[in-house]
Amino acid sequence: MNLNLEKEKELWNKIRLVREEMVQVALNKNLNFLDDEVLSLSQELNKLLNEYEKLLHEK
């Protein structure tokens, strides 16, 4: 159980960091969410969110 909690915290921290990076990059590109760099970060964020959701369903 403790291992799952640690993994959950680690994933949530990664999600937060990627989201913050994506927003900052988008702001730097005049909110161009179709920019390749922003899209790449968005895909990474979605992957992490899916992983987080799977972890929650295992509980």
Side-chain angles (χ1 to χ4, degrees):
M1 181 69 177
N2 197 14
L3 183 60
N4 275 350
L5 185 57
E6 284 300 315
K7 186 172 183 178
E8 185 179 331
K9 285 180 184 179
E10 181 181 325
L11 266 174
W12 188 251
N13 285 333
K14 286 181 183 179
I15 289 166
R16 185 180 52 80
L17 291 172
V18 170
R19 186 187 68 79
E20 288 174 4
E21 182 181 2
M22 183 181 73
V23 169
Q24 189 59 51
V25 168
L27 286 172
N28 291 343
K29 296 183 183 248
N30 298 316
L31 295 176
N32 181 2
F33 287 95
L34 297 178
D35 178 83
D36 287 341
E37 188 177 4
V38 178
L39 287 173
S40 175
L41 288 167
S42 176
Q43 290 171 345
E44 182 180 351
L45 180 60
N46 283 332
K47 180 181 170 190
L48 290 170
L49 286 169
N50 286 336
E51 191 176 337
Y52 187 77
E53 185 178 8
K54 286 178 187 176
L55 184 65
L56 291 179
H57 285 297
E58 290 176 0
K59 287 184 171 184

